[in-house]
């Protein structure tokens, strides 16, 4: 018994069904030409990237303000120690001073400069991260504000005038540094 499309209502085998199907739609090659297969090069929809819990935790740890501060502290100490060692080499040494005294003085100067650079780097990174979190945006104003906060905090240890000068000078230096990225 045939229905309105020309197919029989019940088929006894798959071969009979396919025979009736191809009678109605034509040859198998014409049926496959009607089916458009999507491009395999790029899917037409975005594929969501599912991250594991470990990856999400690692990204949160990496992006936290404390982690950025610790990394800046370590890098600042290393850079400051190297800078202190290079600057200490410029002192005048006479013939009476021993190698041991020169080495101790160089080590002390290097560690002292390293601690200062580390503290400044830590304060700058923490203040920049906190400002970025508060403002909710990542742009060129964040390091300038962080430079002002860090320079002002270092300067206010002396007096208010030094704090204002420290804020202005470190903010100006940071803005010059940020402007160099435009070139």
């Amino acid at each position: 018994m045939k229905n309105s499309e020309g197919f029989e209502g019940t088929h006894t085998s798959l071969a009979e069904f396919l025979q009736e199907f191809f009678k109605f739609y034509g040859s198998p090659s014409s049926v496959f030409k009607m089916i458009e297969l999507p491009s395999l090069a790029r899917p037409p929809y975005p594929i969501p990237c599912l991250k594991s819990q470990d990856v999400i935790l690692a990204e949160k740890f990496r992006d936290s303000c404390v982690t950025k501060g610790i990394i800046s502290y370590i890098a600042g100490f290393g850079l400051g120690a190297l800078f202190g060692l290079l600057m200490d080499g410029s002192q005048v040494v006479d013939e009476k001073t021993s190698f041991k005294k020169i080495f101790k003085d160089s080590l002390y100067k290097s560690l002292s400069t390293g601690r200062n650079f580390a503290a400044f780097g830590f304060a700058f990174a923490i203040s920049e991260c906190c400002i970025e979190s508060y403002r909710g945006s990542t742009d060129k104003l964040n390091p300038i504000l962080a430079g002002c906060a860090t320079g002002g905090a270092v300067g206010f240890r002396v007096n208010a005038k030094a704090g204002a000068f420290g804020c202005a000078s470190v903010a100006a230096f940071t803005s010059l540094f940020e402007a160099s990225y435009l070139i």
Side-chain angles (χ1 to χ4, degrees), residues 120 124 143-156 160-178:
F120 192 85
F124 184 86
I144 296 169
L145 294 174
C148 179
T150 307
V154 170
F156 275 122
K161 188 176 180 181
F165 181 74
C167 172
S169 61
V170 176
F173 179 75
T174 307
S175 64
L176 287 174
F177 189 75
E178 288 294 318

Side-chain angles (χ1 to χ4, degrees), residues 45-79:
Y45 52 87
I47 298 175
C49 180
L50 301 176
K51 297 178 183 177
S52 69
Q53 195 68 16
D54 294 339
V55 172
I56 293 171
L57 218 83
E59 286 177 353
K60 282 184 180 179
F61 178 74
R62 181 195 66 204
D63 294 337
S64 74
C65 292
V66 175
T67 305
K68 289 179 181 180
I70 290 170
I71 290 171
S72 295
Y73 186 86
I74 293 169
F77 184 81
L79 185 66

Side-chain angles (χ1 to χ4, degrees), residues 124-156:
F124 184 86
I126 291 289
S127 61
E128 181 182 11
C129 188
C130 290
I131 289 169
E132 183 178 317
S133 298
Y134 178 76
R135 292 184 66 227
S137 66
T138 304
D139 56 2
K140 293 185 183 287
L141 185 61
N142 293 340
I144 296 169
L145 294 174
C148 179
T150 307
V154 170
F156 275 122

Side-chain angles (χ1 to χ4, degrees), residues 14-26:
L14 179 63
E16 288 178 5
F17 171 76
L18 290 175
Q19 190 177 19
E20 290 290 325
F21 180 81
F22 290 128
K23 272 187 203 175
F24 184 76
Y25 285 108

